[in-house]
């Protein structure tokens, strides 16, 4: 039992990865839709490339969503307008007119004469009705007929039968001119215009109810296909009824929940495919990114982001599949490139998109668009700490989405007139969501303890606490670090390494010298050398300890591991050569070489290898009494050749060609530092 536990503890990292792998597979399979999948791909206007296809079951041919939307729009546009006829108001108007006439100082003969005239005019006005101005605004030039509700009756009439507010006075005046005495027309016009009120009102509630009823009764099918009936022949063009039938079969299959009889088999099939995809990712990490594979935190971050993207797409598909392109999948390669590298970012993105092909409709179109967008993301996104770069890159990604969508529309529809502008808005929204990348990077840095270029920019600020302390306690070392940072950044740019990472690492690589600054020549402002009172072994120990003390100081100040790597490796396993040779001359037979050797490890990346070369070249160049061009060239060649002979770069992924380029950059830059000035006349 004890041996078993020991083996488990020794393999805890592998066991953790296995658990992470299984959990991710289970989660992704669980998120997959619980429906069938149509196994054929087809495009509108293109030939059917498969064998003759027969209906696998009875089904109704469903109308396309575009057709349904068009019919609903037609119903809304041509829906019947309902108006109410207020009969009680007509009686009130008649009574009010009678009362107003009797209140006037007319003789009884005049009253008896004009009352019938006024009542007749009122009857003429309310024969069809007087419509209020607000209800009148519902009528348009295209409104040929409306439905008027009068009590329990409803009948259709043309809207021009109504008296409108602009026609009322003209109608009363013309009616009075034909029937009323001249001397009474003015007063009757005033009275009638005051008492007459609109009795035709738009019935919005009934109109909406009738419209909703028509939409509710709208048929969503255009026909029926029996089981085993021929749907389409091989080579036939996919269009019209054939396209609608194929779309109906696909929707029917995708809406069917897995039955108990085939549920386990379908889950097993999905599990195998998902497991294979994620296994390819683990094998890629194991073979090409072993440092990431061995780091459980980094592996967790990668799997978490893949699962997160699958989850987001699944949720959107379940809510409304037409919004699937609103999910900013390009965030995945951006984040992985920010923390790791472009190759891993693209590899993980492609695998994720392939997995999503099981979820989304039109999977070929989706996969093509997303992979192209991922490639553009990897090629364009760089230096995230510069906001303008991120803005330009996301703009380019959005543009690629739009161009690819236009191309697919032309292929499928045969023309450019069928473009759906809704998708362009989705692509723009996708780009806006992609600006969440800086926030997510910051969150992952805090949760997983990783470091990105954005954090490197903050750390490289010379006003940071640690660098300010270095400048105060060891000003010579600070200046040396600045020079090394400049050299390393220039070299990294030339060979395609991470310039921001190597610059930041160079600024912090010698912080361990703060504890004993005067034991390092760059900080000795007088001729007094404290090493004079020490043995060679003790002096070498102090020099070597600046690496160990630097690591401790970096951890105390919570510097990221990627920066600590530069402190740990910038001398590799080289010797403190000056004191070693001095000890060898004094005691040639009693030299303990290990006491003069740095503990290592050797550089294990391009960036750490660059720092080792730049640090040694800059420090050694200070010893040149006459820094001529030839002397500088010889010095740099000698230093880097010695490092190569000692095997300092054996673990670093740096090539001979890269080293030649670095040497060329160092020679040029160091010569610029020691450039010869002309003598100015006094």
């Amino acid at each position: 039992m004890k041996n078993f536990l020991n083996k488990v503890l020794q393999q805890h990292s592998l066991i953790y990865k296995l658990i992470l792998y299984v959990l991710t597979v289970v989660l992704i399979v669980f998120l997959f839709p619980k429906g069938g999948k149509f196994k054929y791909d087809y495009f509108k206007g293109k030939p059917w490339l498969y064998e003759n296809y027969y209906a696998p079951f009875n089904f109704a041919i469903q109308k396309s969503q575009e057709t349904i939307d068009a019919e609903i729009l037609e119903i809304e546009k041509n829906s019947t307008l309902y108006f109410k006829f207020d009969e009680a108001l007509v009686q009130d108007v008649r009574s009010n007119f009678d009362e107003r006439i009797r209140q006037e100082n007319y003789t009884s003969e005049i009253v008896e004469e004009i009352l019938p005239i006024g009542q007749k005019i009122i009857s003429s006005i309310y024969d069809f009705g007087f419509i209020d101005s607000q209800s009148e605004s519902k009528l348009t030039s295209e409104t040929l007929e409306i439905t008027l509700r009068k009590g329990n009756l409803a009948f259709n009439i043309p809207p021009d039968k109504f008296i409108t507010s602009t026609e009322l006075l003209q109608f009363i005046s013309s009616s009075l001119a034909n029937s009323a005495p001249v001397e009474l027309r003015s007063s009757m016009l005033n009275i009638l215009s005051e008492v007459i009120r609109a009795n035709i009102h738009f019935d919005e509630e009934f109109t909406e109810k009738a419209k909703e009823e028509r939409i509710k009764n709208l048929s969503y099918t255009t026909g029926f296909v029996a089981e085993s009936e021929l749907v389409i022949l091989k080579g036939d063009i996919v269009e019209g009824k054939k396209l609608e039938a194929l779309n109906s079969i696909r929707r029917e299959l995708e809406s069917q929940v897995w039955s108990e009889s085939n549920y386990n088999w379908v889950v097993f099939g999905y599990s195998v495919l998902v497991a294979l995809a994620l296994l390819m990712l683990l094998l890629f990490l194991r073979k090409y990114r072993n440092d990431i594979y061995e780091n459980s935190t980094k592996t967790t971050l990668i799997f978490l982001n893949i699962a997160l993207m699958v989850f987001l797409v699944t949720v959107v598909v379940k809510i409304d599949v037409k919004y699937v392109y609103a999910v900013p999948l390009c965030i995945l390669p951006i984040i992985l490139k920010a923390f790791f590298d472009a190759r891993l970012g693209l590899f993980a993105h492609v695998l994720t998109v392939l997995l999503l092909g099981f979820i989304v409709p039109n999977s070929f179109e989706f996969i093509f668009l997303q992979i192209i967008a991922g490639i553009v993301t990897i090629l364009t996104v760089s230096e995230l700490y510069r906001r303008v770069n991120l803005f330009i890159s996301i703009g380019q990604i959005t543009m690629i989405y739009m161009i690819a969508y236009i191309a697919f529309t032309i292929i499928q529809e045969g023309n450019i007139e069928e473009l759906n502008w809704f998708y362009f808005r989705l692509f723009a929204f996708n780009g806006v969501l992609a600006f969440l990348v800086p926030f997510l990077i910051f969150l992952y840095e805090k949760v997983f303890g990783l470091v990105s270029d954005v954090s490197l920019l903050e750390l490289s600020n010379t006003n940071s606490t640690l660098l300010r302390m270095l400048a105060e306690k060891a000003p010579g070392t600070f200046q040396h670090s600045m020079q090394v940072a400049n050299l390393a950044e220039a070299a990294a740019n030339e060979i395609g390494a991470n310039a921001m990472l190597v610059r930041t690492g160079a600024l912090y690589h010698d912080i361990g010298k703060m504890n004993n600054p005067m034991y390092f020549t760059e900080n000795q402002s007088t001729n007094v050398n404290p090493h004079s009172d020490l043995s060679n072994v003790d002096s070498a120990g102090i020099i070597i300890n600046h690496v160990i003390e630097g690591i401790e100081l970096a951890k105390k100040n919570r510097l990221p591991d990627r920066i600590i790597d530069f402190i740990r490796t910038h001398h590799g396993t080289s010797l403190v050569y000056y004191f070693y040779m001095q000890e060898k001359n004094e005691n040639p037979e009693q030299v303990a070489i290990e006491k003069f050797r740095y503990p290592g490890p050797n550089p294990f990346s391009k960036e750490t290898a660059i720092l080792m070369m730049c640090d040694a070249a800059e420090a050694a160049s200070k010893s040149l009494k006459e820094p001529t061009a030839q002397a500088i060239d010889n010095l740099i060649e000698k230093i880097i050749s010695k490092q190569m002979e000692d095997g300092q770069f054996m673990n670093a992924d740096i090539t001979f060609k890269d080293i030649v380029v670095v040497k060329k950059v160092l020679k040029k830059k160091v010569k610029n530092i020691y450039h010869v000035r002309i003598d100015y006349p006094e």
Side-chain angles (χ1 to χ4, degrees):
M1 185 66 181
K2 185 177 180 180
N3 292 334
F4 174 75
L5 290 176
N6 287 334
K7 289 182 179 179
V8 170
L9 291 174
Q10 290 172 1
Q11 300 295 326
H12 69 280
S13 178
L14 180 61
I15 293 171
Y16 173 81
K17 289 181 183 65
L18 181 61
I19 294 172
L20 177 66
Y21 171 75
V22 172
L23 287 177
T24 308
V25 171
V26 171
L27 175 62
I28 292 175
V29 173
F30 173 77
L31 291 172
F32 277 0
K34 306 298 186 293
K37 188 79 174 175
F38 192 53
K39 60 182 178 180
Y40 302 111
D41 287 324
Y42 58 91
F43 298 96
K44 179 182 176 182
K46 299 296 178 183
W48 177 257
L49 303 176
Y50 310 98
E51 296 299 324
N52 298 348
Y53 185 67
Y54 297 88
F57 44 74
N58 297 329
F59 68 93
I61 299 177
Q62 304 289 326
K63 294 178 182 177
S64 67
Q65 189 60 47
E66 291 77 9
T67 303
I68 294 171
D69 291 342
E71 291 183 2
I72 291 174
L73 186 64
E74 187 67 20
I75 290 174
E76 292 176 343
K77 182 180 178 181
N78 299 320
S79 61
T80 303
L81 300 178
Y82 287 86
F83 290 80
K84 292 183 293 186
F85 187 98
D86 192 343
E87 294 184 275
L89 184 140
V90 177
Q91 297 303 321
D92 289 342
V93 170
R94 291 182 182 279
S95 299
N96 290 340
F97 175 73
D98 188 276
E99 185 179 342
R100 284 291 307 276
I101 291 296
R102 296 183 188 283
Q103 288 176 353
E104 297 292 329
N105 296 324
Y106 296 136
T107 63
S108 58
E109 291 81 3
I110 294 175
V111 170
E112 291 301 323
E113 180 184 2
I114 63 177
L115 270 178
I117 297 172
Q119 291 294 348
K120 185 178 179 181
I121 293 173
I122 291 172
S123 296
S124 299
I125 291 172
Y126 290 120
D127 187 15
F128 289 102
F130 172 30
I131 188 169
D132 66 275
S133 56
Q134 185 175 359
S135 298
E136 184 185 352
S137 66
K138 302 293 182 180
L139 303 173
T140 66
S141 59
E142 297 178 358
T143 307
L144 301 178
E145 200 173 56
I146 60 96
T147 300
L148 185 64
R149 296 176 61 234
K150 196 173 184 178
N152 293 327
L153 301 175
F155 49 91
N156 298 332
I157 63 169
D160 57 4
K161 294 289 186 180
F162 296 137
I163 300 294
T164 65
S165 56
T166 57
E167 299 170 344
L168 181 63
L169 290 178
Q170 180 63 34
F171 181 84
I172 295 173
S173 296
S174 61
S175 299
L176 290 172
N178 296 328
S179 56
V182 176
E183 65 275 10
L184 297 175
R185 291 175 186 174
S186 178
S187 61
M188 287 187 70
L189 177 63
N190 291 335
I191 292 171
L192 285 168
S193 61
E194 289 177 6
V195 300
I196 290 176
R197 290 175 291 157
N199 75 316
I200 302 296
H201 306 288
F202 177 63
D203 193 342
E204 185 173 2
E205 181 180 351
F206 201 88
T207 300
E208 286 297 320
K209 184 178 179 181
K211 182 170 65 177
E212 289 173 4
E213 189 67 23
R214 285 188 65 190
I215 294 174
K216 183 179 178 181
N217 294 329
L218 180 67
S219 174
Y220 288 84
T221 63
T222 60
F224 180 82
V225 177
E227 183 178 354
S228 300
E229 183 179 336
L230 179 65
V231 176
I232 189 169
L233 289 169
K234 182 178 181 180
D236 281 358
I237 302 300
V238 181
E239 59 183 0
K241 289 287 185 181
K242 297 171 184 176
L243 175 62
E244 291 177 353
L246 290 171
N247 288 339
S248 300
I249 294 174
R250 185 176 66 184
R251 282 195 291 267
E252 184 70 22
L253 284 170
E254 291 175 351
S255 65
Q256 290 176 355
V257 178
W258 298 336
S259 63
E260 291 184 5
S261 60
N262 66 358
Y263 182 87
N264 293 333
W265 284 109
V266 175
V267 169
F268 175 76
Y270 272 142
S271 299
V272 170
L273 294 176
V274 174
L276 281 174
L278 294 182
L279 180 61
M280 294 305 104
L281 178 59
L282 282 176
L283 292 176
F284 174 85
L285 294 175
R286 180 70 181 84
K287 185 172 181 62
Y288 298 107
R289 299 292 183 271
N290 193 55
D291 56 320
I292 299 174
Y293 176 81
E294 296 295 340
N295 190 314
S296 298
T297 301
K298 294 178 180 179
T299 309
T300 303
L301 175 64
I302 296 169
F303 276 75
L304 173 66
N305 276 276
I306 292 174
L308 177 62
M309 290 302 159
V310 175
F311 171 75
L312 289 176
V313 173
T314 305
V315 169
V316 171
V317 168
K318 287 182 178 178
I319 295 173
D320 195 337
V321 70
K322 68 181 180 181
Y323 293 104
V324 70
Y325 286 110
V327 180
L329 286 179
C330 62
I331 284 180
L332 177 62
I334 293 176
I335 288 176
L336 296 185
K337 183 179 179 182
F339 286 115
F340 308 117
D341 60 77
R343 189 176 177 187
L344 173 59
L346 181 60
F347 191 87
H349 176 73
V350 170
L351 286 180
T352 304
V353 171
L354 291 175
L355 290 175
L356 293 175
F358 295 117
I359 300 173
V360 300
N362 298 324
S363 55
F364 175 77
E365 177 182 334
F366 177 85
I367 291 172
F368 183 88
L369 281 174
Q370 297 295 357
I371 289 180
I372 289 295
I375 293 172
V376 173
T377 301
I378 292 299
L379 294 176
T380 61
V381 174
S382 62
E383 298 179 333
L384 286 175
Y385 54 88
R386 296 181 180 176
R387 288 172 293 182
V388 67
N389 285 4
L390 181 63
F391 182 84
I392 293 172
S393 297
I394 290 176
Q396 292 172 334
I397 295 164
T398 305
M399 185 62 65
I400 289 297
Y401 270 125
M402 294 179 178
I403 293 172
Y405 168 70
I406 292 172
F408 266 105
T409 302
I410 293 172
I411 292 172
Q412 294 171 4
E413 304 295 341
N415 60 70
I416 202 169
E417 297 174 0
E418 300 296 326
L419 284 176
N420 188 342
W421 295 100
F422 172 75
Y423 283 99
F424 289 89
R425 293 194 292 272
L426 280 184
F427 295 141
F429 183 67
N430 184 309
V432 171
L433 289 181
F435 283 103
L436 292 173
V437 162
F439 169 76
L440 289 174
I441 288 175
F442 174 79
L443 179 65
Y444 288 144
E445 285 177 340
K446 297 303 178 184
V447 173
F448 292 94
L450 301 174
V451 60
S452 68
D453 284 355
V454 179
S455 294
L456 291 176
L457 180 64
E458 296 175 0
L459 289 170
S460 65
N461 186 349
T462 53
N463 284 321
S464 64
T465 304
L466 209 53
L467 292 180
R468 197 165 58 247
M469 287 173 56
L470 179 63
E472 292 172 359
K473 294 183 178 181
T477 299
F478 178 77
Q479 292 300 323
H480 160 72
S481 298
M482 290 289 291
Q483 293 279 21
V484 173
N486 292 334
L487 294 173
E489 183 179 23
N493 281 324
E494 288 295 322
I495 66 170
N498 190 330
M500 179 56 67
L501 175 62
V502 73
R503 177 177 180 81
T504 308
L507 289 172
Y508 288 91
H509 79 282
D510 269 346
I511 56 173
K513 292 181 179 180
M514 280 193 288
N515 292 349
N516 295 293
M518 296 309 296
Y519 283 90
F520 301 90
T521 56
E522 66 266 23
N523 299 310
Q524 295 171 0
S525 55
T526 65
N527 291 327
V528 177
N529 189 344
H531 287 288
S532 302
D533 300 327
L534 299 176
S535 67
N536 294 320
V537 173
D538 291 339
S539 293
I542 293 174
I543 300 298
I544 291 170
N545 280 342
H546 88 273
V547 173
I548 299 168
E549 291 170 355
I551 294 170
E552 293 173 353
L553 193 58
K555 289 182 176 179
K556 182 179 178 181
N557 286 269
R558 297 182 179 178
L559 288 185
D561 288 340
R562 292 178 78 185
I563 303 303
I564 296 176
D565 288 340
F566 287 92
I567 302 173
R568 184 181 291 115
T569 63
H570 74 278
H571 284 296
T573 55
S574 61
L575 295 172
V576 183
Y577 200 70
Y578 176 81
F579 291 109
Y580 169 70
M581 292 304 296
Q582 196 163 293
E583 179 69 14
K584 191 174 182 181
N585 291 332
E586 295 175 2
N587 302 295
E589 296 179 359
Q590 299 179 4
V591 177
I593 191 171
E594 293 305 318
K595 293 183 179 181
F596 295 89
R597 189 180 296 281
Y598 285 99
N602 289 330
F604 46 78
S605 67
K606 280 186 179 181
E607 289 77 16
T608 50
I610 289 170
L611 177 61
M612 172 179 274
M613 289 185 273
C614 294
D615 180 41
E618 200 283 334
S621 67
K622 296 290 178 59
S623 64
L624 290 174
K625 296 180 180 179
E626 295 183 9
T628 63
Q630 187 61 47
I632 292 172
D633 287 351
N634 293 339
L635 179 67
I636 291 173
E637 286 287 348
K638 178 182 176 182
I639 289 171
I640 296 179
S641 295
K642 184 67 168 64
Q643 291 173 338
M644 294 175 67
E645 289 173 8
D646 291 343
Q648 298 297 324
F649 306 136
M650 290 295 291
N651 298 329
D653 56 342
I654 191 167
T655 65
F656 284 115
K657 182 179 178 181
D658 291 335
I659 294 173
V660 170
V661 173
V662 171
K663 288 194 290 186
K664 184 178 178 180
V665 172
L666 288 177
K667 291 173 184 178
K668 180 180 177 181
K669 294 293 181 181
V670 174
K671 288 173 188 175
N672 289 340
I673 294 172
Y674 293 103
H675 65 284
V676 179
R677 294 182 181 274
I678 62 172
D679 292 329
Y680 288 93
E682 297 182 0

